[in-house]
Amino acid sequence: MTQPQTPFYLIDKSLLRANMEKIARLRDRSGARALLALKCFATWSVFDLMRDYMDGTTSSSLYELRLGAEEFGKETHAYSVAWADHEIDEAVSHADKIIFNSLGQLDRFVGKAGGIATGLRLNPRFSTSGFDLADPARPFSRLGEWDIARLDAAMDRISGVMIHYNCENADFDLFDHQLGRIESEFGDILQRLDWVSLGGGIHFTGDGYPLDRLADRLAAFSQKHGVQVYLEPGEASITGTTTLQVSVLDLIDNGKQVAIVDSSIEAHMLDLLIYRETAKLPQDGPHEYQIAGKTCLAGDIFGDARFARPLKIGDRIGIADAAGYTMVKKNWFNGVAMPAIAIREEDGTIRTVRSFSYDEYKSSLS
Ligand SMILES: *Cc1c(COP(=O)(O)O)cnc(C)c1O
């Protein structure tokens, strides 16, 4: 297939490789292992490239777990906020490690782990998330155990813990400080473990991030406590690699120039709507437009963009950062055509790896 009709997500492999090279550098220098967090990005057509630079995958459900085992391979961590009785045997069959969210789930299922490594989620009760919705340390959080007595009660049955508390944290000093807090509050426990996963949310592939300082901090942590460190980068793995390509269908002047495109923020970039953020749109030139989606939702608006020339019907617009928490959330709202998935190869050619039809819209319901 050649370049598809818009809308389509376009993954740029050379940009993806640049992120992967940063991950590889971090792994080499720190000794930490890096697992792709599939809840952020699960577009398996590019796993061939990612596999050479990462150690495997981590998951938040049975289906993600199975996808990681089938399509990525290498090391596969299984985590879920709550496993069901009917899932546990299959989960264990796909996993190298299974991480329980609560002492209750550990008690219930550890006997079924069949010899694979088991862990527990530790919630340090602080985080870097600015959004209540995504804050694992929010009041009454259900994500992990923090009580030392409850953690102690698990120690004879676990070999590690997973601590996910960062969220797009680009501030190394804050990371360093919070890791120090974890060491002082939970050091006794860490000392008795074989591995510690520090979760995702560290924005270490961003421009200007002090990657080597992070690597050295992780190496020191690993050495001090005698643990294998894991990281679970989602957003950091794929940030900046992908665009959503759309075309202008109509131009309206309502006191503001509005360009309606063949896509929808609710259907194709839902995460932005949930967190009330605007899309990353072109910002060069004097001609300003509000870029809006084609659903019936009044607020289906990507944001404001600027162009060198006035827009015309049929013009193509690329919306940046369309990989993380984006492709995994696309949906059929309003029956808007689902974006195809295309890859820009490193020689510049564009290859369509998936397109969606009416039949798939129909078969998503019954
Ligand atoms: C969401 C999540 C990740 C990935 O987070 P990013 O911010 O995308 O890096 C990693 N681990 C766990 C447990 C998660 O819930």
Side-chain angles (χ1 to χ4, degrees):
M1 276 192 265
T2 55
Q3 192 148 332
Q5 242 181 13
T6 57
F8 62 95
Y9 297 103
L10 179 60
I11 305 173
D12 188 310
K13 264 195 176 171
S14 57
L15 297 174
L16 183 59
R17 194 180 298 279
N19 284 359
M20 291 296 111
E21 278 164 358
K22 289 185 184 172
I23 293 181
R25 180 187 173 96
L26 181 67
R27 288 167 65 224
D28 285 349
R29 191 173 167 116
S30 69
R33 295 186 193 157
L35 306 176
L36 175 65
L38 294 173
K39 87 164 189 288
C40 172
F41 182 79
T43 309
W44 43 271
S45 292
V46 291
F47 285 180
D48 274 349
L49 186 158
M50 302 176 87
R51 188 184 299 118
D52 290 341
Y53 298 87
M54 300 184 77
D55 296 281
T57 56
T58 189
S59 52
S60 37
S61 64
L62 180 60
Y63 287 174
E64 283 185 0
L65 167 62
R66 179 174 164 185
L67 184 76
E70 282 181 3
E71 293 296 332
F72 202 108
K74 299 180 83 172
E75 199 167 337
T76 307
H77 283 200
Y79 165 73
S80 172
V81 170
W83 298 104
D85 287 337
H86 64 85
E87 293 178 326
I88 197 72
D89 290 333
E90 187 185 342
V92 167
S93 79
H94 296 307
D96 295 295
K97 288 189 178 63
I98 187 159
I99 300 162
F100 298 104
N101 182 65
S102 70
L103 189 57
Q105 284 257 308
L106 177 76
D107 288 343
R108 184 172 181 79
F109 293 125
V110 74
K112 297 227 170 193
I116 66 168
T118 53
L120 188 62
R121 180 165 183 170
L122 188 161
N123 185 332
R125 297 179 96 185
F126 52 79
S127 81
T128 68
S129 177
F131 288 98
D132 207 35
L133 181 64
D135 182 3
R138 62 187 274 145
F140 312 110
S141 174
R142 70 197 188 298
L143 302 173
E145 298 281 357
W146 56 79
D147 183 86
I148 297 284
R150 289 177 67 83
L151 289 163
D152 262 333
M155 288 307 288
D156 58 342
R157 290 166 293 163
I158 61 172
S159 57
V161 290
M162 184 269 279
I163 318 173
H164 173 68
Y165 61 106
N166 284 283
C167 182
E168 296 198 33
N169 180 7
D171 179 348
F172 171 74
D173 292 320
L174 176 61
F175 173 80
D176 178 29
H177 169 74
Q178 291 195 330
L179 190 59
R181 265 180 82 179
I182 288 172
E183 292 184 283
S184 65
E185 288 177 35
F186 301 101
D188 278 354
I189 281 169
L190 304 182
Q191 220 59 36
R192 289 142 68 196
L193 296 170
D194 301 332
W195 55 271
V196 173
S197 172
L198 295 172
I202 311 170
H203 205 59
F204 62 83
T205 52
D207 285 338
Y209 191 93
L211 201 61
D212 289 351
R213 288 179 72 202
L214 175 65
D216 294 346
R217 182 67 177 92
L218 296 176
F221 176 90
S222 165
Q223 187 145 37
K224 180 171 177 195
H225 305 287
V227 291
Q228 171 64 52
V229 172
Y230 288 88
L231 297 175
E232 303 176 353
E235 186 64 40
S237 306
I238 45 66
T239 188
T241 63
T242 300
T243 55
L244 174 61
Q245 297 288 321
V246 302
S247 296
V248 176
L249 299 178
D250 197 10
L251 293 159
I252 288 172
D253 181 352
N254 284 330
K256 192 164 188 166
Q257 299 288 328
V258 180
I260 298 174
V261 298
D262 54 358
S263 181
S264 157
I265 193 167
E266 172 145 28
H268 305 158
M269 293 193 113
L270 180 60
D271 205 51
L272 295 178
L273 198 61
I274 292 172
Y275 291 99
R276 296 170 194 278
E277 291 171 5
T278 56
K280 290 183 184 150
L281 290 157
Q283 297 298 343
D284 33 68
H287 300 281
E288 185 172 334
Y289 294 82
Q290 178 181 84
I291 307 300
K294 63 170 287 178
T295 70
C296 305
L297 180 74
D300 190 356
I301 296 164
F302 288 93
D304 291 333
R306 310 183 76 93
F307 301 93
R309 282 181 300 279
L311 285 178
K312 306 182 304 303
I313 307 294
D315 278 353
R316 173 87 75 78
I317 301 171
I319 307 176
D321 247 341
Y325 301 101
T326 303
M327 302 169 86
V328 290
K329 294 192 177 189
K330 61 191 171 55
N331 62 69
W332 285 109
F333 180 58
N334 258 237
V336 180
M338 183 71 81
I341 300 173
I343 295 174
R344 181 182 283 123
E345 299 290 349
E346 284 163 294
D347 65 7
T349 57
I350 291 179
R351 183 166 61 94
T352 302
V353 292
R354 183 79 164 92
S355 47
F356 300 89
S357 65
Y358 166 74
D359 291 337
E360 282 151 298
Y361 164 63
K362 184 176 179 185
S363 65
S364 71
L365 294 167
S366 79

